[in-house]
Amino acid sequence: QVQLVESGGGLVQPGGSLRLSCVASGIFFRIVNMAWYRQAPGKQREIVAFASRSGDTGYSDSVKGRFTISRDNVQNTVYLEMNNLKPDDTGDYYCNAYRGAENYWGKGTLVTVSS
């Protein structure tokens, strides 16, 4: 059974930083692509960043230069380092693993950016 478990969310002031983690189990981590999505209140879920199985990374324009995605294929973990956080970054952050027709989601971790 595939499980993705996110952690690291919380309340942070504007300009602050957080590091999200997502631990995967029940899956051959090295061969799947990983991504982080977020969903703000009242809005659709949107992709934030991805890290492919080959090491390529990409970011949405709204987080480029502030967020960094990385993966540890030994620890089966994907990270999202978030710096210079803004109130618009508030939302539930979800870990996603995908490869072909396979698509798995975590339950999310809440990030709140507020003074």
Side-chain angles (χ1 to χ4, degrees), residues 48-64:
V48 173
F50 72 86
S52 75
R53 58 180 180 167
S54 61
D56 296 326
T57 59
Y59 302 89
S60 67
D61 288 342
S62 61
V63 307
K64 201 172 294 182

Side-chain angles (χ1 to χ4, degrees), residues 42-77:
K43 295 188 177 180
Q44 289 189 330
R45 191 173 297 188
E46 63 174 357
I47 189 166
V48 173
F50 72 86
S52 75
R53 58 180 180 167
S54 61
D56 296 326
T57 59
Y59 302 89
S60 67
D61 288 342
S62 61
V63 307
K64 201 172 294 182
R66 301 188 296 120
F67 290 11
T68 303
I69 189 171
S70 60
R71 58 187 295 165
D72 183 335
N73 290 339
V74 175
Q75 299 294 327
N76 287 4
T77 302

